[in-house]
Amino acid sequence: MNIVVVGSGYVGLVTGVCFAELGLRVTCMDHDAAKIDRLIMGDIPIYEPGLQNLVLLNQKAGRLSFTTDAAACIGQADAVFIAVGTPTRKGDNHADLQYIFAAARDIAPHLRDYTVIVTKSTVPVGTGRRMASIIRDMNPAAAFDMVSNPEFLREGTAIRDFMRPDRVVVGAETPKAVAVMRRLYEPLTGQDVPLVVTTLETAEMAKYAANAFLAMKITFINQMADLCEVTQANVNDVAKIMGLDQRIGSKFLRAGPGYGGSCFPKDTRALAETARSLGVELGLVRQTMDYNDARKHTMVDRILAAFGGGVAGKTLAILGLTFKPGTDDMRDAASLVIVPALRAAGAHLKLYDPKGMEEAQSCLGDDAGQWCANALDTLSGADGAVLITEWDEFRALSPEAIVRMLRDPVFVDLRNVYDVPAMQAAGVAYTSLGRPVASLVCPSMTRAPAEVL
Ligand code: UGA
């Protein structure tokens, strides 16, 4: 089968490359000629583990090509996937659908034989039908069906998430469209991946519901961490105990500085606005958004408190800047709030991220601090350190190395990476999230849940 993927951003590129890897002939289309030129040369504009290799392999095998020309590829496609951005619209927090509707208009004149038009982008409920009417108005003779096939790809593990998904969702209106989608995903469903067939509206809603629920789950554990801090309970163990209950599940219960990235912040905003405009108030989603926004600022207060109430004139090592490990993406990263606030408080910063340096420099400004080459270089000679993103390179740091490198061993860990007793035994003045100081911990209590795992 031939497919075209419109939009060669994060989702489009991963989708196109993975379908090519599954044996389909894939054309990735984008208006951005410079991006397409780079991709043709095998130069991938984003960092995603494994992506570059798969692009090169599939280009070489003749299954993957890149173009800016809709006329040259849409007419031959059995299915056209739309994977363009749906950022937050300026001014009102709704999803901005201008790129989605522009893609529908680009495709419409070139449709020839029966084509399935599939929305991968996260779009508010009802958008699929609006796209269908745009296409029908522009090309009344076109034979096509609209399908909603939301993606559940996490940056950093997107290839694995595509190849081994928990489920494939197909929101469709005709058996013919469902049959095309079943054929496309047969290599995955043949390995027992469930494919859920539903309506357009349900598929569109399900994607927002899943993201909002995960955002809420993170917010819940962050709030539990706040409570643990004033009760001497340990949030890591609370999360383990909760997670062992199969009705809850262990994932997305890691306390942190507040979720970021290109999806949870914008999708919770869009879902809440869609609901409000339809007369439904999603209080849980709104509280999640508000708490998460505020949390990034309360992290700054926590850092200032760890340094005795202020950081003026101090040199701080900042470890990790991207919104999570495994990506160079800085969108809605906690560092975008924390770094400027620490500078405003008078700190001199030494900054480092294993993969996000270029992006971080363009978001935070070249003059945000001293840009360092690795973790040890960053720590060396600093008055203290703040870990914002839990890259593996930082997990490998020993408490002894931290004490050796820092002038004053104050360490604020916003991802609970290190062992509290080990840090304290090494003499680090260690602050993490929702975990009691070692002297107050009863060892048998902390060991029990870990042993169960
Ligand atoms: C998210 C969803 O996980 C994907 O299923 C979805 O397809 C994607 O959005 C999307 O809509 O395109 P992503 O934004 O790549 O994926 O990253 P996540 O792994 O979900 O992490 C989001 C944020 O939550 C990060 O800032 C991360 O550090 C934070 N997080 C995650 C926590 O603070 N605690 C956790 O336990 C898990």
Side-chain angles (χ1 to χ4, degrees), residues 75-97:
Q76 283 87 52
D78 297 293
V80 177
F81 285 77
I82 299 178
V84 296
T86 53
T88 298
R89 190 164 68 191
K90 284 203 175 67
D92 67 4
N93 276 348
H94 276 283
D96 184 346
L97 297 178

Side-chain angles (χ1 to χ4, degrees), residues 114-137:
Y114 174 75
T115 314
V116 177
I117 300 176
V118 189
T119 315
K120 268 272 167 220
S121 309
T122 303
V123 292
V125 58
T127 304
R129 271 181 217 287
R130 292 173 69 189
M131 293 166 74
S133 79
I134 290 173
I135 295 169
R136 225 171 274 121
D137 285 351

